[in-house]
Structure formats: structure tokens, C-alpha cells
Amino acid sequence: METLNFYINGGWVEPNELKTLEVINPANEESCGRIALGNEQDVNAAVAAAKAAFPAFSQTSREERIALLEKILAGLAARQEDLAQAITAEMGAPAWLSKMAQSAMGAAHFNETLQLLKDYEFESNRGSTRLRKEPIGVCALITPWNWPLNQIACKVAPAIAAGCTMVLKPSEIAPFDAAIFTEVLHEAGVPAGVFNMVNGDGPGVGAPLSSHPDVDMVSFTGSTRAGRLISKAAADDIKRVSLELGGKSANIILPEANLEKAVSKGVQSMMMNSGQSCNAPSRMLVPAEKHAEAVAIAKQTAEALSVNDPYAEGVYLGPVSSDVQYQKIQALIQQGIDEGAELVVGGIGKPEGLEQGYYVKPTVFANANNQMTIAREEIFGPVLTMIPYGSVEEAVEVANDTPYGLSGYVYGETLEEAADVANQLRTGNVHLNGAGADTKGPFGGYKQSGNGREWGEFGLEEFLEVKAVFGANQ
């Protein structure tokens, strides 16, 4: 696939200067296509288009935006197979995962936003004052490669619903689903300039987009390191910056929990998407007296997970996204060994028979402590760190002893005891007894995991300003 043009002001346009990048299929280390890399001039053109489109689009009716979201949803349904295949090729997700979750989440966010928009109160009264929630303006949307369409959709859908205009910079590692998504929006009749897309890397496109004086808001999902850079770039203009960043989420298994169920589900959840999820339960905290039993369950579960080509039968883990990620993960696994954690399963090197491609062995460390590197740093690969604890109070203390605060997991005998522990965690969301995510709830983190929220009502409100009209309701 090739995407050598950018989408600006309602049409595909040539880049200011043609500079291309090969997109590598991580399953076979071969090129699966090319994209053009944009520069500051391309960013300027896209932002100018969004700025020009904002006055008209910000005044569209709720009904007009509902109709637009409905057309986009229909387009996503028609192109789901194309989207899934693109995601598998560009970032290596198993074919079943690309279809059932990766591409499906795009439509899920648009549907959630559509339903919300039908009844959302953009105006309300407080005494004699009328409160209006109005679109914030031109938005820069910068998205990652690990759940590419999911992250695009949970930004673009609420931005459109709010009446904002936008420029999207998708990840240059996984750009092709974004090109298909752009085709869907074009065919749905999104007005010229409302949605613009410029491919590129962080320095070439991300930086000038974040610092552009005509951008009113930056919504970014990615690493904490990049989030810092974006915040600094946006600071001169006092832009709103919404960040969804890294995580090192704890999974607390309480003493009376069903150990077999809790540990096996925890391992499977950690290894999903080859561990490339910012909210992955990467630290498993288990009672010290049950640690050995939990390790045996984790070992058996991890060994049963198939690592293979994304299209292979029964595959659970495909490759990680790139050679850069592969090398980083290998170095951290080695560091875990060197620092004295017990290597239960996996380890350095590629799985047997998979020498071509960026495949990582599902790896479990046990008898770790929370000061080890593998318990502190976000590995972003299929690596689980198991930490024994002496009391529930200690488990909560260990769980909160991290610069991150994106997600948490608690498994108890009852929902009530799990919820009690969840209330003590300094994280943006918590999963109780294996519960999955819910697009109605807000997604985002505390501390260095970010400062905004996505999904549902809270995600929509990131794109809204509040205006008080005094005396309007006398």
C-alpha cells in the first residue's frame, strides 16, 4: 500500500516535498508499503484549512453532526475487513484480534459518541446564568501505533461531535489504517477542512503541529517522554493539552480470590496484543504464601499461548511492532535476569522457528520486588513481573509506588472486597474481577500517565469550552 499524499481541505494533495518512508511488516521484516513524510509547510496548510473551516462547522446543528457520524459508521462497517488487514500488516496484530478488537473498536467509539450526542446538554442554566459548552477550536490529534484505529476514533469522533475541526498525525509505524479511515470520512461527506491528515514523524510533523499558534488543543496518546515534549511545545500558546501516556499497571490478586482463574486471566490479559497496551496488567501482586502456586499457574498459562505469524491458526501473540521495540524489550528482559528476578518462562531471543520477524517469547518473572527495573519501566512487550506481598495494605502501597497511574486490576472473592481495594488505587481506571473496558467510562490516567480523559461523555468534554452568559436566564 502507498500513501504518498496528504488529506487537506477535503482532498488528497501532494506533499510540499516528497520524502518517503518504508513501512515494515513486523511479521516478516519486509516492506508493506510507503508513506510520504510531511514537514512544517504541510502542517501549516492543514492547520490553515482547519482554521478556515471552523467558523461554519462550529455552528452546525446537533442533527447535522448526528447524520455525519451515522454516515461514518456505515463507512467503517463497509471497510472493516480492509482496516483489519491493514492493521495486521503494519503492526502485526493477529488477524482475529485486528478484526474482533482493533478495527471493531473504531466503530465502537463512533457509535458511543453518536448515542451520546443525541441527548447531550450543550446548554444548561445556573440561576440567572446560562452555561454553554462550545467547541474548543482547531485540534491537533497525534495517535500511536499499538491500537491505531482505536486511538484515532476516540479522538476524531468526539471532536466532530463537539463541532471542532482537526489535523490528524497518525503513527508513521502504522499509517495505513489511517489512510483507509480518511477515505471513509471523505466518502461520508465530512466538509472540506474539518478533518485533515498529514503523515510524518514527531520532529517533522508532531512538533510543528503541537506548537502551531492556530491550534487550540493537542490530544496525544503515546509515551510519557513524548508527552513531555508536546506539553512544552504547546506551552507558549497556553493550548489545552490532553495526554494519555504510559503505564505500569498493578494487578492485585487478593488472598481469597480464585487463584487459578485470577492468575490465568491476568497472564492472558498481559500478553494480549503482544503486551503492547498502555493499560496492560504488567505487575502481578500475589499473596506471598500463594506465590509458588501462582507462579506454576502463570508458567502453564504462558507456555500455552501460541506465538506465530499473525495469520496462523490458533495464534495468540504476533510480533511486536518494530525492531526498535524488539531490541528495547530484549534489553529489559536481560536487565530483569541481571537484577535477580526469577525467570519462570520465556527470556531473551526469539521463539523457536521464528527467526524472521520481531517475535518475543511470552516472558514471566517471579519473586521480583518493586524496585527492579522490570517493575518500574514500561516494557511494552509480553513480559509479566510477579511480586509477592505480605498484606493487602502492602499490596496497595506497592501498586501505588510508581510514577504511573493509568490502570489497575483487582481480583477478589467478591466484587465488594475488590471494589474496596480499587478505591485505594491512584489510577484513572480499575478492572474488577476480570471486567473488560467500557466505552461509556472515561479512559485516562493519574500522575505521569496523563492529564485528560477519552471515551464517552468525558472524552467529548475534552473538546468543549464552557461559556457563562450572565443575565441570560432572568
Side-chain angles (χ1 to χ4, degrees), residues 67-292:
L68 192 54
L69 291 179
E70 288 174 339
K71 290 178 182 176
I72 294 170
L73 262 170
L76 290 173
R79 300 294 298 275
Q80 184 183 8
E81 187 63 35
D82 295 338
L83 288 161
Q85 289 186 12
I87 292 168
T88 293
E90 66 195 4
M91 59 78 61
W96 65 268
L97 183 65
S98 289
K99 185 173 183 179
M100 301 299 293
Q102 288 273 10
S103 62
M105 283 302 292
H109 286 300
F110 268 89
N111 185 61
E112 184 65 46
T113 303
L114 171 63
Q115 302 311 317
L116 175 65
L117 181 57
K118 291 178 179 178
D119 300 313
Y120 186 80
E121 290 189 5
F122 288 96
E123 289 194 4
S124 60
N125 295 318
R126 299 287 190 279
S128 64
T129 300
R130 178 173 299 149
L131 298 184
R132 284 176 51 83
K133 295 180 180 179
E134 301 178 343
I136 193 169
V138 175
C139 302
L141 313 178
I142 304 175
T143 57
W145 48 260
N146 61 321
W147 287 88
L149 185 63
N150 175 78
Q151 292 306 131
I152 290 171
C154 71
K155 297 180 191 301
V156 173
I160 289 175
C164 294
T165 59
M166 67 213 75
V167 180
L168 169 69
K169 188 205 91 65
S171 169
E172 69 275 22
I173 293 173
F176 296 134
D177 68 287
I180 296 169
F181 175 83
T182 300
E183 292 171 358
V184 168
L185 266 62
H186 179 77
E187 292 164 8
V190 174
V194 170
F195 172 86
N196 306 272
M197 191 273 288
V198 178
N199 279 315
D201 57 20
V205 174
L209 195 52
S210 302
S211 62
H212 200 291
D214 289 332
V215 167
D216 300 291
M217 173 192 177
V218 182
S219 178
F220 170 76
T221 300
S223 70
T224 297
R225 178 194 61 80
R228 292 190 189 100
L229 295 174
I230 285 170
S231 295
K232 291 174 182 177
D236 285 347
D237 299 305
I238 320 296
K239 293 176 175 55
R240 180 182 297 176
V241 179
S242 178
L243 303 173
E244 195 270 281
L245 307 175
K248 195 67 186 175
S249 301
N251 180 6
I252 300 176
I253 298 175
L254 296 176
E256 301 305 317
N258 182 321
L259 197 66
E260 176 78 34
K261 190 173 182 180
V263 172
S264 60
K265 191 171 184 67
V267 172
Q268 291 166 356
S269 181
M270 176 61 236
M271 303 303 174
M272 177 71 70
N273 205 41
S274 297
Q276 299 172 122
S277 297
C278 49
N279 63 336
S282 53
R283 292 181 295 151
M284 182 180 286
L285 277 55
V286 296
E289 67 274 13
K290 295 185 176 182
H291 184 261

Side-chain angles (χ1 to χ4, degrees), residues 375-397:
R376 307 300 298 179
E377 291 193 19
E378 184 179 38
I379 299 173
F380 228 61
V383 181
L384 174 66
T385 301
M386 300 181 71
I387 302 172
Y389 67 82
S391 66
V392 173
E393 291 74 20
E394 180 190 343
V396 170
E397 183 179 344

